[in-house]
Amino acid sequence: MPELVYPPVVAAAKAMFRVLDLKITVEGAHHVPRTGGAVMASNHVSYLDFIFCGLGAQESKRLVRFMAKQSVFTHKVSGPLMRGMRHIPVDRRAGAGSFASAVSALRSGEVVGVFPEATISRSFQVKELKSGATRMASQAGVPVLPVALWGGQRLWTKGRPRTLTRRHVPITIIIGEPMDPTAYEDPNVMTADLKTRLTALVDRAQREYPDSPAGPDDAWWQPRHLGGTAPTLEEAAELEVRRRAAAKDPWA
């Protein structure tokens, strides 16, 4: 099936990044296989993470099919684009069908992008991971690639106004070594190792990031343990509980 939507979207994103002069650094792109299935499992700090994670696969000339919540596919603007790029809708109330679709895509040789934290981390630290990424990799017999993203939260993240016209922001993308599911006794053990690896990559991305907050009012995008004012993991979890309670929707 010809790719009529995805390549123009990628070209438009790259053009926007050039206009904004984003300083994008990609490390470990050679880990993305040029053929065959793979799961790219990324941390989640920004609404733009799917774009930056996808950029990590460009050197290998792969188009990543991301798993995203169903509401994105039913939106009048994003829906046609998501369907045209053949991303995978996730109905959190009936996840078996979405899981099966992802495994089928992996077995057919696709690269599937997953955010195993499920939602954006307000603390900008790696939260507990869902096991779906490792379970689908195990069933399909494909590797899992840990992906660390950093910097995108400065453009658009949960609880902050969008600043999509901000220029010269550094963006770090680090793709770790592939994890072979056959090396693990069960997916839960693999998930624990994925969290360890992802946490180490994110921590390195944060510590090696070339920018620092411009002052106290700009420290919100830095995690607390590095001197920023982002909420701690515990505080962020409480904020999510309150938000969902206010929305009266446990899946929001």
Side-chain angles (χ1 to χ4, degrees):
M1 186 182 300
E3 296 284 354
L4 301 179
V5 178
Y6 214 143
V9 170
V10 171
K14 288 182 175 179
M16 181 184 72
F17 297 156
R18 285 194 295 270
V19 169
L20 296 177
D21 192 32
L22 299 188
K23 308 298 185 181
I24 299 175
T25 302
V26 181
E27 178 186 323
H30 62 283
H31 290 312
V32 181
R34 291 185 175 271
T35 60
V39 175
M40 295 184 75
S42 172
N43 69 311
H44 204 3
V45 296
S46 163
Y47 289 112
L48 304 176
D49 286 341
F50 72 98
I51 300 177
F52 297 128
C53 184
L55 284 179
Q58 286 289 291
E59 182 179 300
S60 296
K61 303 186 186 305
R62 304 302 301 272
L63 297 175
V64 183
R65 314 299 177 181
F66 285 95
M67 301 187 74
K69 60 184 180 180
Q70 181 71 40
S71 60
V72 180
F73 290 80
T74 56
H75 190 275
K76 63 180 180 180
V77 176
S78 62
L81 291 175
M82 297 295 283
R83 294 190 295 272
M85 290 185 281
R86 287 188 263 161
H87 295 312
I88 302 169
V90 176
D91 184 345
R92 292 175 178 170
R93 294 177 176 86
S98 305
F99 183 88
S101 295
V103 171
S104 177
L106 291 167
R107 286 175 172 162
S108 68
E110 297 281 10
V111 177
V112 173
V114 180
F115 298 103
E117 295 170 280
T119 58
I120 288 175
S121 172
R122 291 174 181 259
S123 70
F124 306 132
Q125 294 178 262
V126 178
K127 303 189 294 183
E128 289 303 312
L129 306 186
K130 307 293 185 182
S131 65
T134 56
R135 288 190 294 111
M136 68 177 63
S138 295
Q139 285 199 21
V142 302
V144 173
L145 309 177
V147 182
L149 303 177
W150 190 246
Q153 75 275 19
R154 300 176 67 188
L155 300 172
W156 189 14
T157 193
K158 184 177 290 187
R160 300 289 305 185
R162 282 176 289 184
T163 53
L164 296 176
T165 57
R166 186 169 186 168
R167 294 170 54 80
H168 316 304
V169 174
I171 304 293
T172 301
I173 305 164
I174 305 177
I175 303 168
E177 294 184 1
M179 301 172 64
D180 181 356
T182 64
Y184 297 87
E185 59 188 57
D186 68 61
N188 289 326
V189 174
M190 189 177 181
T191 298
D193 192 18
L194 173 60
K195 184 175 188 293
T196 297
R197 296 187 187 206
L198 200 53
T199 298
L201 290 175
V202 171
D203 186 66
R204 181 158 69 84
Q206 293 170 341
R207 293 181 186 279
E208 296 177 358
Y209 192 67
D211 264 9
S212 299
D217 292 340
D218 189 44
W220 62 266
W221 56 267
Q222 193 81 296
R224 189 77 63 85
H225 70 283
L226 292 180
T229 56
T232 64
L233 278 167
E234 294 75 18
E235 290 168 347
E238 180 60 29
L239 285 171
E240 280 300 299
V241 169
R242 293 177 183 175
R243 183 186 67 83
R244 290 176 180 177
K248 298 181 181 179
D249 182 358
W251 301 99

